[in-house]
Amino acid sequence: MKETDREAVATAVQRVAGMLQRPDQLDKVEQYRRREARKKASVEARLKAAIQSQLDGVRTGLSQLHNALNDVKDIQQSLADVSKDWRQSINTIESLKDVKDAVVQHSQLAAAVENLKNIFSVPEIVRETQDLIEQGALLQAHRKLMDLECSRDGLMYEQYRMDSGNTRDMTLIHGYFGSTQGLSDELAKQLWMVLQRSLVTVRRDPTLLVSVVRIIEREEKIDRRILDRKKQTGFVPPGRPKNWKEKMFTILERTVTTRIEGTQADTRESDKMWLVRHLEIIRKYVLDDLIVAKNLMVQCFPPHYEIFKNLLNMYHQALSTRMQELASEDLEANEIVSLLTWVLNTYTSTEMMRNVELAPEVDVGTLEPLLSPHVVSELLDTYMSTLTSNIIAWLRKALETDKKDWVKETEPEADQDGYYQTTLPAIVFQMFEQNLQVAAQISEDLKTKVLVLCLQQMNSFLSRYKDEAQLYKEEHLRNRQHPHCYVQYMIAIINNCQTFKESIVSLKRKYLKNEVEEGVSLSQPSMDGILDAIAKEGCSGLLEEVFLDLEQHLNELMTKKWLLGSNAVDIICVTVEDYFNDFAKIKKPYKKRMTAEAHRRVVVEYLRAVMQKRISFRSPEERKEGAEKMVREAEQLRFLFRKLASGFGEDVDGYCDTIVAVAEVIKLTDPSLLYLEVSTLVSKYPDIRDDHIGALLAVRGDASRDMKQTIMETLEQGPAQASPSYVPLFKDIVVPSLNVAKLLK
């Protein structure tokens, strides 16, 4: 306490010192004293109140402890009295054992008396119940069956209580009520029959279905009550629990499965469209059944049965099983497509599970796939394998059919622009289109795979097409009289190449959103190359046909007969123009190339005639006459090919200029300028060789050996460089060796 007092004094001194730090604060000493007095009085009042409250609590606690002590003493006394009374009554309880047995027997006899009327009327009730079942009065029949079972179960329970080991009496009771189990089974059959036809019954007579559900609900309640009693007594009547609710769902599930399986009306042997028909029937039946279940059946069942949800799961499971069975069969390609389209698209579409009449109860997102991804993958692999074989066979057959047309005596058909064509491109791409449309119904991924497959097979097919076109040309060259319409069908083959190109581009544009697949993007150049090669070979074959007819007239060029006034070039121009009237049926890209090639070959053949030294001019007059004739004929050829190339927008004069340039060398009158003229010729045509110059000088007929040697040596020192756009003309011209005698002098 002394320590506390000292701390209080120190604290007070500190506070007073804080309040009286300035002289002017001395005037407020009285005010400070009154304020501190009030604080002190307040603290003392709070302390008194707290102490009083604690004292009251202690007083109350002591009072309760005193009362509890008195109660404990009273309880001890009461327990002592009970113990005393119990010891005194043990002998009395043992003497009442006979009374207890009598009470039990009385209870059993009372139950027997209570059921006596039912016991004697069992045969009659059995007959009445049987009649009611046959009449379809199921509720009344079930009520009487419940009475019978109640009487039987009551008697058996009392017997069980009295002597659970007495099986003879239990068997006697069970035998007397033996018809009860038969009635129960018969009634159950009737219930199951109604449930099997529930989708029909709910439309025609919903009260019958409601009656069935009420009976099942009654039996479920009885099952629960008996199972509860079993926990207490261990007694279970025969035939219990019936579990009719569980059996009801089993019957419904079996009915759904049978309904799904029973929709197959045809087989592949009787109808090629058997699977499409089967799947469509399933779609219609399932949709109709679920709509009926949603709108009508749910009104006949208690909510906790969740009948629509359970039926939906049953149908889904039955469909999954059926789809698995169909997938395991040896399906054809079109059947695989039908199955996958139905499973992956139709099932989850508005035609079925997304139908507005099933919303919102049916959530497609919660449904498991009808077929596992593994099975779908296997089906797709089988489909792709079968489709590959089919496409190969279809393409082979299409080509064989087209080949038969090539030897016909009638001309091929023309398109709307008048170009010859065969039906091959249309047949091929119609087939591709059909397969791609089918694949697109299944998935985008399959569509892309089928497109890649089609393009791959197209590549192989075009190689075969090229070989067949080459054989066609070779057979014709062996016998030019056969086939009769060779030119027209070769034109059609060439035009088909352009059609194939356009169709491939169109197909990819339509079915491929972006060419990210390397195989697809790289296939086009390869096929374009093959098609260009086919067209080139075709054009070459047609030009071969032209030049076979021109051969005799080309051989007349640069001969004595030619110099004396041959009309070989006139015939050449007429023949070429006549052929190109037929070639007008060739599509523009190939006709343009063909015209240029024909122009080049005519000029090359003219130059070849010069280089073959068929003539050697003997005088300046002959050289002048021959050169001027060459210039006139060059102009004649230039006019012809300008006419043939009109509309192509190309310069066609370059080739004929070569003939004019050669004529200028021949026409030159001053031999001293010959080197300069030859140098100009070589600079313009870098592919010209020494033997070509030698042959040209030989045609002139006035160049000495020394002059030839000088020109050759000088030209060898600086060969000219060809420009990138230069088309070689001389490289394919072979000059006869010097020891070959001059022909047709």
Side-chain angles (χ1 to χ4, degrees):
M1 289 294 290
K2 292 181 179 181
E3 183 67 26
T4 303
D5 291 343
R6 282 196 297 273
E7 288 180 359
V9 170
T11 302
V13 170
Q14 187 175 2
R15 289 190 65 189
V16 169
M19 288 187 287
L20 300 176
Q21 289 181 353
R22 296 189 304 276
D24 59 330
Q25 291 177 329
L26 293 173
D27 298 337
K28 300 179 181 179
V29 169
E30 188 63 30
Q31 181 181 348
Y32 291 155
R33 185 181 289 113
R34 288 195 299 272
R35 185 176 67 186
E36 293 301 320
R38 287 196 300 273
K39 287 184 178 179
K40 180 180 178 184
S42 174
V43 170
E44 289 177 349
R46 288 201 299 272
L47 284 173
K48 289 180 181 179
I51 291 171
Q52 184 64 40
S53 175
Q54 289 179 352
L55 290 174
D56 291 342
V58 170
R59 187 180 296 108
T60 302
L62 290 174
S63 175
Q64 289 177 346
L65 286 173
H66 181 71
N67 293 335
L69 179 62
N70 293 333
D71 291 341
V72 168
K73 290 179 180 178
D74 292 342
I75 292 170
Q76 285 179 339
Q77 184 61 40
S78 298
L79 286 174
D81 294 343
V82 168
S83 177
K84 182 179 178 181
D85 292 342
W86 176 73
R87 288 190 184 93
Q88 292 176 355
S89 63
I90 289 176
N91 296 330
T92 305
I93 293 172
E94 290 178 355
S95 64
L96 293 176
K97 184 173 186 270
D98 295 337
V99 176
K100 178 183 176 183
D101 293 339
V103 169
V104 171
Q105 188 175 9
H106 178 271
S107 175
Q108 292 173 343
L109 291 174
V113 170
E114 184 180 350
N115 291 292
L116 193 61
K117 181 179 180 181
N118 291 336
I119 292 174
F120 285 115
S121 61
V122 164
E124 182 182 353
I125 296 174
V126 168
R127 284 193 299 273
E128 290 176 356
T129 306
Q130 185 67 44
D131 292 340
L132 290 171
I133 291 174
E134 292 175 357
Q135 294 168 12
L138 302 181
L139 277 176
Q140 295 90 325
H142 185 250
R143 172 58 63 188
K144 290 188 174 293
L145 177 64
M146 287 173 63
D147 292 341
L148 287 172
E149 289 178 340
C150 184
S151 299
R152 179 199 63 185
D153 297 346
L155 289 172
M156 295 184 75
Y157 175 64
E158 293 301 332
Q159 178 61 37
Y160 178 84
R161 284 177 59 195
M162 184 175 66
D163 186 4
S164 60
N166 189 348
T167 57
R168 187 180 66 81
D169 289 348
M170 296 286 279
T171 304
L172 178 65
I173 297 171
H174 187 269
Y176 185 76
F177 287 90
S179 301
T180 305
Q181 188 60 44
L183 288 174
S184 178
D185 295 340
E186 185 65 28
L187 179 61
K189 287 180 182 180
Q190 296 299 317
L191 300 183
W192 307 151
M193 288 176 63
V194 173
L195 287 170
Q196 287 170 356
R197 300 192 301 271
S198 57
L199 290 166
V200 177
T201 305
V202 76
R203 299 184 221 191
R204 297 179 180 175
D205 186 9
T207 55
L208 179 59
L209 183 60
V210 171
S211 299
V212 170
V213 175
R214 287 179 61 189
I215 292 171
I216 292 172
E217 270 294 277
R218 287 176 183 173
E219 291 293 338
E220 285 295 299
K221 289 178 181 177
I222 295 172
D223 281 348
R224 287 193 295 271
R225 187 169 64 248
I226 286 176
L227 289 175
D228 290 341
R229 189 171 66 181
K230 176 187 175 183
K231 294 176 183 178
Q232 300 172 359
T233 64
F235 173 73
V236 180
R240 292 286 178 182
K242 291 185 178 181
N243 294 322
W244 276 8
K245 180 181 177 182
E246 181 181 337
K247 291 179 181 178
M248 176 196 75
F249 282 113
T250 302
I251 293 296
L252 287 175
E253 185 174 1
R254 192 182 307 141
T255 302
V256 168
T257 302
T258 304
R259 185 163 174 78
I260 297 298
E261 292 175 349
T263 54
Q264 182 174 343
D266 302 298
T267 61
R268 185 182 296 118
E269 290 73 20
S270 62
D271 186 356
K272 290 295 183 182
M273 301 296 290
W274 68 276
L275 184 57
V276 174
R277 198 182 308 280
H278 179 39
L279 294 174
E280 176 57 21
I281 293 173
I282 288 177
R283 184 198 68 79
K284 187 175 183 305
Y285 280 13
V286 171
L287 180 59
D288 291 347
D289 291 354
L290 290 177
I291 290 174
V292 169
K294 176 178 177 290
N295 296 330
L296 300 177
M297 284 190 70
V298 292
Q299 302 175 21
C300 302
F301 288 80
H304 66 272
Y305 275 51
E306 296 184 319
I307 189 64
F308 180 74
K309 179 181 177 181
N310 282 297
L311 277 175
L312 177 62
N313 291 335
M314 291 175 193
Y315 273 100
H316 183 76
Q317 187 58 45
L319 286 172
S320 180
T321 303
R322 183 55 182 157
M323 296 304 114
Q324 295 278 2
E325 292 172 355
L326 291 172
S328 64
E329 295 185 14
D330 188 15
L331 298 177
E332 297 177 355
N334 62 317
E335 294 170 348
I336 292 175
V337 168
S338 298
L339 181 62
L340 289 178
T341 302
W342 197 93
V343 168
L344 301 178
N345 298 328
T346 304
Y347 183 65
T348 56
S349 70
T350 55
E351 296 180 11
M352 202 164 177
M353 289 305 183
R354 288 188 193 273
N355 191 283
V356 292
E357 295 193 52
L358 296 180
E361 282 78 359
V362 177
D363 183 2
V364 175
T366 62
L367 297 176
E368 293 292 327
L370 290 177
L371 292 176
S372 67
H374 175 68
V375 174
V376 172
S377 178
E378 286 185 344
L379 285 174
L380 289 175
D381 290 343
T382 303
Y383 172 71
M384 291 299 293
S385 175
T386 306
L387 182 61
T388 302
S389 302
N390 289 345
I391 288 178
I392 293 172
W394 291 333
L395 290 174
R396 185 178 292 112
K397 184 178 179 181
L399 183 54
E400 290 300 322
T401 303
D402 205 56
K403 282 171 56 182
K404 292 177 182 178
D405 292 342
W406 296 353
V407 295
K408 286 183 177 179
E409 297 294 324
T410 56
E411 294 183 357
E413 296 179 356
D415 63 11
Q416 66 271 19
D417 297 320
Y419 298 120
Y420 285 138
Q421 64 176 7
T422 67
T423 57
L424 182 62
I427 292 172
V428 169
F429 282 93
Q430 183 180 8
M431 176 190 67
F432 287 169
E433 186 88 19
Q434 289 173 351
N435 284 289
L436 284 166
Q437 287 175 356
V438 167
Q441 295 175 5
I442 299 176
S443 68
E444 286 292 318
D445 182 57
L446 180 64
K447 181 187 70 175
T448 303
K449 288 182 179 179
V450 172
L451 177 59
V452 172
L453 172 64
C454 290
L455 294 177
Q456 289 173 345
Q457 294 305 319
M458 186 68 188
N459 224 341
S460 303
F461 166 76
L462 290 177
S463 297
R464 293 195 300 273
Y465 191 49
K466 178 183 177 183
D467 295 340
E468 293 297 340
Q470 182 66 26
L471 288 174
Y472 182 58
K473 181 180 78 171
E474 292 172 358
E475 289 176 5
H476 172 72
L477 292 177
R478 284 195 289 269
N479 179 7
R480 294 186 62 203
Q481 303 301 317
H482 182 79
H484 179 71
C485 295
Y486 166 77
V487 172
Q488 290 81 358
Y489 277 100
M490 184 56 75
I491 291 173
I493 291 171
I494 295 169
N495 289 339
N496 284 350
C497 295
Q498 183 65 22
T499 306
F500 276 128
K501 276 188 178 182
E502 295 168 355
S503 299
I504 291 169
V505 171
S506 173
L507 200 68
K508 291 171 68 175
R509 186 182 298 117
K510 182 176 180 180
Y511 290 100
L512 196 64
K513 293 181 179 178
N514 45 20
E515 290 191 11
V516 293
E517 294 83 358
E518 184 178 352
V520 178
S521 60
L522 293 180
S523 62
Q524 181 71 26
S526 173
M527 285 187 283
D528 283 353
I530 297 174
L531 289 167
D532 286 340
I534 296 171
K536 184 177 179 181
E537 286 294 328
C539 292
S540 175
L542 292 177
L543 289 178
E544 193 70 30
E545 190 79 3
V546 175
F547 281 90
L548 285 173
D549 287 349
L550 296 179
E551 185 175 7
Q552 175 186 351
H553 309 292
L554 290 170
N555 288 335
E556 288 186 13
L557 298 176
M558 302 304 293
T559 62
K560 283 290 186 182
K561 181 180 178 182
W562 168 78
L563 187 60
L564 294 174
S566 168
N567 61 349
V569 172
D570 295 334
I571 297 174
I572 288 171
C573 289
V574 171
T575 304
V576 170
E577 187 171 7
D578 182 57
Y579 267 102
F580 268 82
N581 286 334
D582 291 336
F583 297 163
K585 304 281 189 181
I586 299 176
K587 290 186 176 180
K588 189 172 181 178
Y590 298 123
K591 185 184 176 186
K592 177 180 176 181
R593 297 177 203 170
M594 191 172 179
T595 304
E597 179 62 17
H599 190 180
R600 190 191 72 84
R601 283 191 63 176
V602 167
V603 172
V604 168
E605 292 300 327
Y606 200 106
L607 295 173
R608 181 178 281 112
V610 175
M611 300 305 167
Q612 286 182 346
K613 298 174 287 186
R614 298 172 182 172
I615 188 173
S616 180
F617 298 111
R618 299 182 181 278
S619 64
E621 289 77 14
E622 276 192 0
R623 284 192 289 275
K624 180 180 179 182
E625 182 183 354
E628 289 176 351
K629 186 174 179 64
M630 288 175 67
V631 172
R632 287 195 305 273
E633 290 177 346
E635 288 300 322
Q636 197 173 348
L637 293 173
R638 193 194 314 272
F639 176 79
L640 169 66
F641 284 104
R642 277 180 179 172
K643 181 179 178 181
L644 296 179
S646 62
F648 294 152
E650 285 200 354
D651 180 17
V652 296
D653 295 340
Y655 295 143
C656 292
D657 288 344
T658 310
I659 300 175
V660 175
V662 171
E664 290 298 326
V665 175
I666 295 173
K667 184 180 179 181
L668 187 66
T669 56
D670 186 356
S672 62
L673 299 175
L674 191 57
Y675 167 74
L676 184 60
E677 195 70 33
V678 171
S679 299
T680 303
L681 182 67
V682 172
S683 65
K684 290 176 68 176
Y685 306 102
D687 63 323
I688 196 167
R689 301 190 300 271
D690 294 349
D691 52 352
H692 295 142
I693 300 299
L696 183 56
L697 294 176
V699 171
R700 271 186 61 88
D702 64 343
S704 64
R705 179 172 297 182
D706 293 339
M707 184 183 292
K708 291 180 183 178
Q709 188 68 25
T710 302
I711 292 173
M712 294 294 185
E713 291 176 355
T714 306
L715 292 175
E716 286 176 358
Q717 294 175 5
Q721 296 295 323
S723 66
S725 60
Y726 174 69
V727 179
L729 294 174
F730 290 93
K731 71 173 185 176
D732 296 330
I733 300 175
V734 178
V735 179
S737 57
L738 294 176
N739 60 354
V740 177
K742 294 180 181 179
L743 301 175
L744 303 174
K745 290 185 179 179

